[in-house]
Amino acid sequence: MNEHLFSDMSVMLGRSMRHILRSMDTIFTVCITPIAMMLLFVYVFGGAIQSGMDNYVNYLLPGILLIAIASGISYTAYRLFLDKQRGIIERFHSMPIARSSVLWGHVLTSVVSNAISLVVIILVALLMGFRSSAGVLSWLAVAGILVLFTLALTWVAAIAGLSAKSVEGASVFSYPLIFLPFISSAFVPTETMPSVVRVFAENQPVTSIIETIRALLSSQPVGNDIWVALAWCLGILIVAYLFAVRAYKRKAA
């Protein structure tokens, strides 16, 4: 049974990845905005913002990576909506394949395509002066957190794609997610914010994830941030997964 499921998942992953590779503009589009923001904040606003920071690119990069993921997962919702609208999901369900493999194919494609986008952004950051003293284990920890964050948001995207009534409705959910890093420690320390904004910034999911990644990349102690980050990611993933599966079963019925 498991072998059958994994085989079907690999087929669905291959199908979705072929769509991505045939239109690489999807990946480039996901990269453009975060890279433009990184250039803007470093070379235009950097002089005013980075007071007391040795390397603002190092400080900025974790938040930029999360913005890229929040932007990239909107395409998962879009592709799921199109499959639903065109009756492709129902067509697959009439075939002798595991039903969940259709949904997992989209989710895994999101992880792979977002990983490619993040690599491109990191390469650009290196050209801009990003440097890390992190070892292999720290980089693997960073990769694990980014994958977990991508999975969590992708399941949120699956809910939107399966529940939306229009193409616009399938992708508009990502706007608040993209905006969330702006009210966090992504661009400036939370200590510089007004008290009300600071309370929100310090207690929302993105800040703990950013602080964890930032500490890992700079070989600093992560403290409790990593546990808070993992709790947020796993909590969002589990809740979103349950609602996405429920929405999927309802559409497949």
Side-chain angles (χ1 to χ4, degrees), residues 17 47 67 72 111 118 154 165 170 198 217 231 246:
M17 284 306 302
I67 290 173
V111 173
L118 296 184
T154 300
K165 304 298 182 183
R198 177 181 176 180
L217 292 179
R246 182 178 178 181

Side-chain angles (χ1 to χ4, degrees), residues 118-201:
L118 296 184
V119 169
V120 172
I121 293 170
I122 291 172
L123 291 175
V124 173
L126 285 169
L127 294 175
M128 295 172 61
F130 167 71
R131 296 295 180 267
S132 173
S133 57
V136 174
L137 291 179
S138 293
W139 273 103
L140 288 175
V142 169
I145 291 171
L146 291 173
V147 168
L148 193 59
F149 184 70
T150 304
L151 280 171
L153 293 196
T154 300
W155 284 110
V156 175
I159 299 172
L162 292 167
S163 305
K165 304 298 182 183
S166 65
V167 173
E168 294 77 13
S171 57
V172 73
F173 81 98
S174 65
Y175 296 160
L177 300 178
I178 295 171
F179 183 71
L180 205 55
F182 288 92
I183 315 176
S184 72
S185 61
F187 299 100
V188 295
T190 56
E191 292 81 6
T192 63
M193 300 176 182
S195 58
V196 176
V197 178
R198 177 181 176 180
V199 169
F200 175 80

Side-chain angles (χ1 to χ4, degrees), residues 1-223:
M1 180 66 178
N2 287 337
E3 291 182 5
H4 180 55
L5 174 60
F6 289 137
S7 175
D8 292 342
M9 283 170 55
S10 65
V11 172
M12 292 300 159
L13 172 61
R15 168 187 174 261
S16 296
M17 284 306 302
R18 281 192 294 274
H19 291 167
I20 295 289
L21 295 175
R22 286 172 186 166
S23 56
M24 288 296 289
D25 56 313
T26 299
I27 292 176
F28 292 136
T29 302
V30 171
C31 293
I32 286 173
T33 300
I35 289 174
M37 290 175 57
M38 191 160 57
L39 292 168
L40 180 67
F41 275 89
V42 171
Y43 295 121
V44 178
F45 302 144
I49 295 175
Q50 64 180 333
S51 176
M53 299 179 189
D54 295 331
N55 189 334
Y56 189 50
V57 182
N58 285 12
Y59 185 89
L60 192 66
L61 182 60
I64 294 295
L65 296 178
L66 297 197
I67 290 173
I69 292 171
S71 176
I73 52 99
S74 64
Y75 287 97
T76 301
Y78 172 73
R79 288 190 294 268
L80 261 173
F81 175 80
L82 289 184
D83 277 0
K84 179 191 70 173
Q85 187 183 48
R86 295 169 179 172
I88 294 175
I89 292 178
E90 287 77 6
R91 197 177 308 164
F92 280 135
H93 287 169
S94 67
M95 300 178 181
I97 61 174
R99 288 195 170 192
S100 61
S101 64
V102 180
L103 194 55
W104 273 105
H106 284 283
V107 171
L108 295 177
T109 299
S110 172
V111 173
V112 175
S113 60
N114 274 291
I116 296 171
S117 300
L118 296 184
V119 169
V120 172
I121 293 170
I122 291 172
L123 291 175
V124 173
L126 285 169
L127 294 175
M128 295 172 61
F130 167 71
R131 296 295 180 267
S132 173
S133 57
V136 174
L137 291 179
S138 293
W139 273 103
L140 288 175
V142 169
I145 291 171
L146 291 173
V147 168
L148 193 59
F149 184 70
T150 304
L151 280 171
L153 293 196
T154 300
W155 284 110
V156 175
I159 299 172
L162 292 167
S163 305
K165 304 298 182 183
S166 65
V167 173
E168 294 77 13
S171 57
V172 73
F173 81 98
S174 65
Y175 296 160
L177 300 178
I178 295 171
F179 183 71
L180 205 55
F182 288 92
I183 315 176
S184 72
S185 61
F187 299 100
V188 295
T190 56
E191 292 81 6
T192 63
M193 300 176 182
S195 58
V196 176
V197 178
R198 177 181 176 180
V199 169
F200 175 80
E202 291 179 346
N203 293 281
Q204 57 122 320
V206 168
T207 294
S208 60
I209 297 169
I210 288 172
E211 292 297 331
T212 299
I213 294 173
R214 189 176 287 146
L216 288 168
L217 292 179
S218 59
S219 300
Q220 298 296 318
V222 294

